[in-house]
Amino acid sequence: MATDQAIFGRSELLLGSEAMERIAGKSVIIFGVGGVGSWCAESLVRSGIRRLTIVDSDCVCITNINRQLMATTKTVGQVKVEVLKERLLTINPYAEITALQKIFSQETASEFAIGSYDYVIDAIDSLKDKALLILMACQSGAKLYSSMGAALKMDATRIRVAEFWKVQGDPLARALRRKFKSQHQFPKRKFKCVYSDELLKNQGDPSLLNHELSSSKAQINGTVVHITAIFGFMLAGLVMEDIVQEALRV
């Protein structure tokens, strides 16, 4: 069996042993392991994160195959977090992967002990649940990175990172800001988001995907893998950059 040192030798060559030790010691929780969150999880584990919790209530659907890491014709119908956990452990058998088939909501929020993690990754679709996670994470000691909308986009060069209140051209960020203002509750601190200001229109017939609609999804929009994956990789990159900068400051 491969050792940790062998697996991450190339990373250590670039970042140094001190940074790799810090990466291995951090804990991360990802809420939502769909088109964005699944690729973020893969990137984090391949980068040396050993303690990772993945949260998602769904099972793999055939329409997930075009963009979600663990979705294949062989995994349709299986629990997303369990399939993803199995894959991540083939990358690093020494990783501690906790798979929670749950939905984050007002009713379940207290079950996740958000403050016990070093990093929180928000890849939630539901506006209400996303807003709650942002508020709670910003009240905790964990550092938050959030994905804005990755649907209706094709141009990878327009994907950016910005502090939440400076995100421009993204309907999800705009809706979140309206929600915070309407309920007179605001995030207690600043946090970075991955977003794109591109906004295309669906060209196909959305009625073909009506079976995907649920109480948490008001509508279905077209999505492609190179965009969702880059969103996920950029979220993971923000975590890595923060840890490496921390190592350099010591």
Side-chain angles (χ1 to χ4, degrees):
M1 183 180 289
T3 65
D4 260 55
Q5 187 174 3
I7 293 170
F8 302 112
R10 288 292 189 102
S11 299
E12 185 170 332
L13 183 62
L14 175 65
L15 304 176
S17 59
E18 170 64 24
M20 293 307 298
E21 288 178 10
R22 286 181 175 273
I23 290 167
K26 298 296 185 181
S27 60
V28 183
I29 185 168
I30 303 176
F31 289 93
V33 291
V36 173
S38 60
W39 298 98
C40 180
E42 169 115 349
S43 183
L44 288 172
V45 171
R46 287 190 184 274
S47 299
I49 291 291
R50 291 186 64 167
R51 292 186 290 156
L52 178 66
T53 298
I54 50 178
V55 182
D56 199 299
S57 64
D58 291 342
C59 293
V60 177
C61 173
I62 195 166
T63 56
N64 299 155
I65 293 174
N66 82 311
R67 69 198 183 282
Q68 298 186 16
L69 178 70
M70 62 283 166
T72 70
T73 54
K74 292 184 178 181
T75 62
V76 169
Q78 296 180 34
V79 176
K80 283 185 182 180
V81 290
E82 294 296 342
V83 179
L84 182 57
K85 176 181 178 178
E86 183 178 347
R87 175 180 170 85
L88 296 177
L89 288 175
T90 66
I91 297 169
N92 183 9
Y94 305 97
E96 301 170 19
I97 311 295
T98 302
L100 300 178
Q101 189 189 10
K102 294 183 178 181
I103 189 167
F104 178 89
S105 66
Q106 184 72 54
E107 293 73 30
T108 64
S110 61
E111 300 174 15
F112 295 99
I114 289 174
S116 66
Y117 295 90
D118 296 299
Y119 296 93
V120 173
I121 302 296
D122 159 38
I124 291 177
D125 292 330
S126 164
L127 178 65
K128 178 179 67 174
D129 298 336
K130 192 177 194 75
L132 178 62
L133 177 60
I134 289 171
L135 291 173
M136 289 185 64
C138 288
Q139 288 177 331
S140 75
K143 181 160 285 189
L144 169 69
Y145 296 116
S146 180
S147 172
M148 296 295 105
L152 300 177
K153 304 177 193 310
M154 275 289 293
D155 187 350
T157 67
R158 291 171 69 169
I159 301 174
R160 300 284 187 269
V161 174
E163 193 279 319
F164 172 67
W165 293 100
K166 295 182 179 179
V167 172
Q168 296 182 343
D170 179 87
L172 181 53
R174 188 159 54 245
L176 282 166
R177 290 193 287 257
R178 283 200 303 266
K179 186 170 184 63
F180 291 140
K181 291 174 181 176
S182 67
Q183 63 190 22
H184 304 290
Q185 286 184 294
F186 300 94
K188 296 296 185 183
R189 50 188 166 86
K190 295 180 178 180
F191 61 97
K192 291 182 179 179
C193 302
V194 177
Y195 75 101
S196 167
D197 62 0
E198 183 181 23
L199 194 62
L200 303 175
K201 292 182 178 180
N202 288 317
Q203 299 299 315
D205 182 358
S207 67
L208 298 176
L209 299 176
N210 278 347
H211 64 281
E212 281 196 44
L213 288 174
S214 67
S215 59
S216 63
K217 287 187 177 183
Q219 63 183 40
I220 298 295
N221 287 315
T223 319
V224 290
V225 68
H226 68 276
I227 297 295
T228 63
I230 292 171
F231 267 60
F233 288 144
M234 290 182 74
L235 288 167
L238 290 170
V239 173
M240 296 300 295
E241 183 180 9
D242 191 69
I243 298 172
V244 171
Q245 290 300 316
E246 177 186 281
L248 293 174
R249 290 193 295 268
V250 174

CSV table of all heavy atoms in Angstrom, one decimal, residues 31 119 136 154 159 165 226 233:
chain,number,residue,atom,x,y,z
A,31,PHE,N,-20.7,21.1,2.4
A,31,PHE,CA,-22.2,21.0,2.4
A,31,PHE,C,-22.6,21.0,0.9
A,31,PHE,O,-22.5,22.0,0.2
A,31,PHE,CB,-22.8,22.1,3.1
A,31,PHE,CG,-22.7,22.0,4.6
A,31,PHE,CD1,-21.7,22.6,5.3
A,31,PHE,CD2,-23.6,21.2,5.4
A,31,PHE,CE1,-21.5,22.5,6.7
A,31,PHE,CE2,-23.4,21.1,6.7
A,31,PHE,CZ,-22.4,21.7,7.4
A,119,TYR,N,-12.5,24.6,8.3
A,119,TYR,CA,-13.0,25.2,7.0
A,119,TYR,C,-14.4,24.7,6.7
A,119,TYR,O,-14.6,23.5,6.9
A,119,TYR,CB,-12.1,24.9,5.8
A,119,TYR,CG,-10.7,25.6,6.0
A,119,TYR,CD1,-9.7,24.9,6.5
A,119,TYR,CD2,-10.5,26.9,5.6
A,119,TYR,CE1,-8.4,25.4,6.7
A,119,TYR,CE2,-9.3,27.5,5.7
A,119,TYR,CZ,-8.2,26.8,6.2
A,119,TYR,OH,-7.0,27.3,6.4
A,136,MET,N,-24.4,31.0,10.1
A,136,MET,CA,-23.9,30.1,11.1
A,136,MET,C,-22.4,30.0,11.0
A,136,MET,O,-21.6,30.1,12.0
A,136,MET,CB,-24.6,28.8,11.1
A,136,MET,CG,-26.0,28.8,11.6
A,136,MET,SD,-26.7,27.2,11.7
A,136,MET,CE,-25.7,26.4,13.0
A,154,MET,N,-20.7,28.9,-19.6
A,154,MET,CA,-19.8,28.1,-20.5
A,154,MET,C,-18.4,28.6,-20.5
A,154,MET,O,-17.5,27.9,-20.8
A,154,MET,CB,-20.4,28.2,-21.9
A,154,MET,CG,-21.4,27.1,-22.2
A,154,MET,SD,-20.7,25.4,-22.3
A,154,MET,CE,-19.7,25.6,-23.8
A,159,ILE,N,-14.8,33.0,-14.6
A,159,ILE,CA,-14.9,32.5,-13.2
A,159,ILE,C,-14.0,33.3,-12.3
A,159,ILE,O,-12.8,33.5,-12.6
A,159,ILE,CB,-14.7,31.0,-13.0
A,159,ILE,CG1,-15.7,30.3,-13.9
A,159,ILE,CG2,-14.8,30.6,-11.6
A,159,ILE,CD1,-15.4,28.8,-14.0
A,165,TRP,N,-19.8,40.6,-0.6
A,165,TRP,CA,-20.5,41.9,-0.9
A,165,TRP,C,-20.0,42.5,-2.2
A,165,TRP,O,-20.6,43.5,-2.6
A,165,TRP,CB,-20.5,42.8,0.3
A,165,TRP,CG,-21.2,42.3,1.5
A,165,TRP,CD1,-20.7,41.6,2.5
A,165,TRP,CD2,-22.7,42.3,1.6
A,165,TRP,NE1,-21.7,41.2,3.4
A,165,TRP,CE2,-22.9,41.6,2.9
A,165,TRP,CE3,-23.7,42.8,0.9
A,165,TRP,CZ2,-24.2,41.5,3.4
A,165,TRP,CZ3,-25.0,42.6,1.4
A,165,TRP,CH2,-25.3,42.0,2.6
A,226,HIS,N,-17.1,21.4,-17.1
A,226,HIS,CA,-15.9,22.2,-16.9
A,226,HIS,C,-16.1,23.4,-16.0
A,226,HIS,O,-15.2,23.8,-15.3
A,226,HIS,CB,-15.3,22.5,-18.3
A,226,HIS,CG,-16.1,23.5,-19.1
A,226,HIS,ND1,-17.1,23.2,-19.9
A,226,HIS,CD2,-16.0,24.9,-19.2
A,226,HIS,CE1,-17.6,24.2,-20.5
A,226,HIS,NE2,-16.9,25.3,-20.1
A,233,PHE,N,-12.7,23.2,-7.8
A,233,PHE,CA,-11.3,23.3,-7.7
A,233,PHE,C,-10.8,24.6,-7.1
A,233,PHE,O,-9.9,24.7,-6.3
A,233,PHE,CB,-10.6,23.1,-9.0
A,233,PHE,CG,-10.7,21.7,-9.5
A,233,PHE,CD1,-10.8,21.4,-10.9
A,233,PHE,CD2,-10.6,20.6,-8.7
A,233,PHE,CE1,-10.9,20.1,-11.4
A,233,PHE,CE2,-10.6,19.3,-9.1
A,233,PHE,CZ,-10.8,19.0,-10.5
